[in-house]
Amino acid sequence: MVLSRVLCPTLIGRDSELSTLEDALLSALRGDGGVVIVGGEAGMGKTRLVNTLASRARTLGCVVVAGGCSEAELSLPYLPFLEAIGNYLTTADAGDLGQRLGPAAGELAQLFPQLGAPSGSSTDSVQAKLRLFESILILLRDAAGHRALLVILEDLQWADPATRELLDYATRRLRSTNVLIVATYRTDEMHRKHALLPTIQGWRRSGQVELVDLRPLTPQQVASMVCAIFEERSISDEFRDFLHERSEGNPFVLEEMLRDAIDRGDVFRTETGWDRKAVAEIRIPPNVRDTILQRLERLSREDVAVLSAASVMGRSFDVESLAEVAQVDGTAVLSALEASVAAQLIEEEDRRSGGYRFRHALTREAIYEDLVAPRRQRLHSRVADVMDSRHDREPVDQANQLFMAGRNQDAVAMSIAAADSALQGRAYRDAAELLERAAPYVSDEAERARMLCRAGEAYHYNAESQSARRLLEAAIPGLEKAGFAVEGAIHRITLGRSLWELMRSDLAREQFEQARAVLEPNGPSEALANLYIRIASLSTFNADHRTAIEFARKAAKTAELAGANLPSVWSLNFLGLSEVGLGEVDAGFAHLDQSYQGALAGGYDFQVGNAVYNAIWLAVHLGRGDEVAKWKERISVMPQIGFEPWPTYASAFIALERGQIGEAIRFAQAAVQKAREGGHKKMAWRAHVLLAHALAENLRADEASNLMPPVSSRVDQQDVTYDAMPRVRCCLAAGDFAGAEREVRLVRPEGCEHGSPLDAVAEGTRDAKWLREFIAKIPAQGEVLGSPRIAAARGRLALYEGRFDDACQALSSAVDAFETGSFQLDAWHVGSALADAEFSSGQADVARNRLRRIAADAQAASALLAARVARETASR
Ligand SMILES: Nc1ncnc2c1ncn2[C@@H]1O[C@H](COP(=O)(O)OP(=O)(O)OP(=O)(O)O)[C@@H](O)[C@H]1O
Ligand SMILES: [Mg+2]
């Protein structure tokens, strides 16, 4: 009897690795899911290990789905997820599922047409991508049902960018779900510049992913494996050590070596069992590739030709296409396949009928690499032609085959088609790479520049500003030179935006001006309106409200003339912001309101959120309680899939100002989490600052100052409005008055155009002379001058200067306004200063009563800092 397949029937070793995986699965069953990554050299047993876990999972009643990445240079975005989820969808009732998924179904329809019509809501590209990611996770949670879902993703070393991003996102979002993702990758492919490497290093550092490394088998384990394969009790130490040394403990290599040894007759069957030649006589090829190729030599030339053709098609292939590619008849193909199965080179694929696959990726690689280049190219070319007649072909696969065939020109059209569908699926990076890959083969210069500009835009959608800048700067002049000035100008708007994100406002402005010079003479257009909005927002960030208002008006007008509704609605937002900056507070809020209503009616989610966020932010900083109350109701209006941090931030901010400290802490913690998960750097910074503030109010001074980002992390002029008060309160909570003095010295008067953070400055200092000069320099004007925050600052100055009646008057007007506006926290803090002034102006009883009330109310609301300040003021 001859062993037909020399494969190990049982799992050898790997106890601790398996138990790590099983623990993760049990955690997922308890609702504590996550991601585990299994790394190891090619053939080290990753697939074997995760398959073992998969069968355990099925025994436990879990749902298991699996997908793998393709080794082809270009592959479909999200490929392993598409495979895994696609398999699940074939078993699910699409109607029921659509119901359960709610709005997520519309997002998922981008990738899975069986789920209905895609929802095409106009929104910011990064948000659109996150929404898609979130929807995929919702689908996975649904698939988990009452048990758990195990998702196996194989061969991450070949993952496309979208897959890497989605998986990275999942690592942050699967806690507290019953979904476990186990992904494998080859460690020996992680060369220094491998795209997966930074992701893996990030996971290693953050610890948010469990990493399992598969090491080589020990000599003893090699012996056990040989015994299991040959059903023997033991092997000699000499043979064991020989095999261990030659295979380097790699199970795949070991199996292949043994197979080879049998084929050569170095290991053979006797009456009593297995026997072998003396170790010195056993000739084993120097590497695994050669062992595989040796086996190829034992096949007929015709069979080898068929198998070589198959290796060009990929890891899996179907008989019919193979016959066409190899240009032989069906019988010849079948006989070649039979011989190859017997030689342990390929196996039948159980999932698809008529499908076969190489026994191992390494098997395919060895055979493929043995082909001489011209033959390889011819075969790729034929595969591409055969694909033409297949209705289910993917442009990206065909592009890949055409590139490999050296038919670069033909590959261009396919690459563009593939990039278009990648963009639809929010796989921006994949799209950019496809366009960049194909562009050099386009002979028409303008067309080539156009493709590179599109690639630049795609990087911009993916918030990869550096790459966007690189491509756009290089390619825009090509478009312009060929006479496409307007197209070039539109890309310059994106380039300007990327530059702004790279904190080069100066260069951004240059780009905007260049675009303007081209677009303006052509009359109103949507692009011109958008450009004006960009200029307005750039000016707002620089606190140049006059320029901002001018361009917001131009944007509105232009949008109207061009019949472009979105910029028309959005421009009102900037109009409102700049009006408030110039002191026209009521007019500004009215425009923000109009922007909000218009965005709601138009279904512009991003602009709805933008209006609500801006309005709440302004209202709190201005001390306008009526506006806070009005806009707060709108936080919940926006359709949410649950990851946007800004509504949570706004809720935390309002709770804090209202003196609801416990709630503020909870919301701020959630905002930090969401901002991190969504990769919103700016929002994460803001949420950290807010959380630190809330903790300081709760007298958790150490925690607060540990959380507070360094002053050097301020980027926009506006940032000081976010963090000045939190920094001052952190110092006060720690009893560090000198620290507070230092903090307020870092605020500049120009930053106080909305009133805030002037109140923080006055609270943090005792230097009356300095404060007087500071207040004289603030640019606040118009209705802003009525802000209770400014009154509070003036009142404190009067107190420090010993003008107690003035102090009482200003401070009590501030306290009244804060109380009416439900800014309880401000009312308490400023109330203590008022009591201080009351003591000094001879109203001790009034002061004591006030302080007693503040201490009691603040204490009850966990506003422990405000309560302590009140008690300390009373005891002075
Ligand atoms: N612990 C083990 N016990 C028994 N057989 C094993 C073990 N590990 C691996 N094998 C066998 O070795 C061969 C290679 O293993 P596997 O396919 O799991 O490697 P891999 O790490 O997934 O390789 P690749 O990176 O190429 O995908 C398979 O035939 C597998 O069954
Ligand atoms: Mg594998």
Side-chain angles (χ1 to χ4, degrees), residues 737-797:
F737 300 105
E741 287 281 359
R742 278 195 301 277
E743 290 293 355
V744 303
R745 291 301 195 283
L746 298 173
V747 182
R748 294 185 315 144
E750 302 84 70
C752 301
E753 82 259 37
H754 295 124
S756 168
L758 183 63
D759 49 347
V761 170
E763 186 178 336
T765 187
R766 285 292 179 277
D767 184 338
K769 183 162 170 288
W770 177 82
L771 181 58
R772 166 165 287 280
E773 282 164 17
F774 189 100
I775 294 179
K777 279 189 263 176
I778 67 162
Q781 49 184 313
E783 293 157 52
V784 172
L785 293 173
S787 163
R789 304 204 181 275
I790 295 183
R794 291 192 194 288
R796 285 189 194 267
L797 175 64

Side-chain angles (χ1 to χ4, degrees), residues 46-68:
K46 302 177 291 294
T47 301
R48 180 70 184 247
L49 180 68
V50 296
N51 285 347
T52 309
L53 177 72
S55 24
R56 305 260 163 116
R58 286 193 198 95
T59 320
L60 290 168
C62 303
V63 182
V64 181
V65 295

Side-chain angles (χ1 to χ4, degrees), residues 46-47 154-155 184 315 360:
K46 302 177 291 294
T47 301
E154 284 254 55
D155 299 315
T184 66
R315 176 88 190 267
H360 203 272

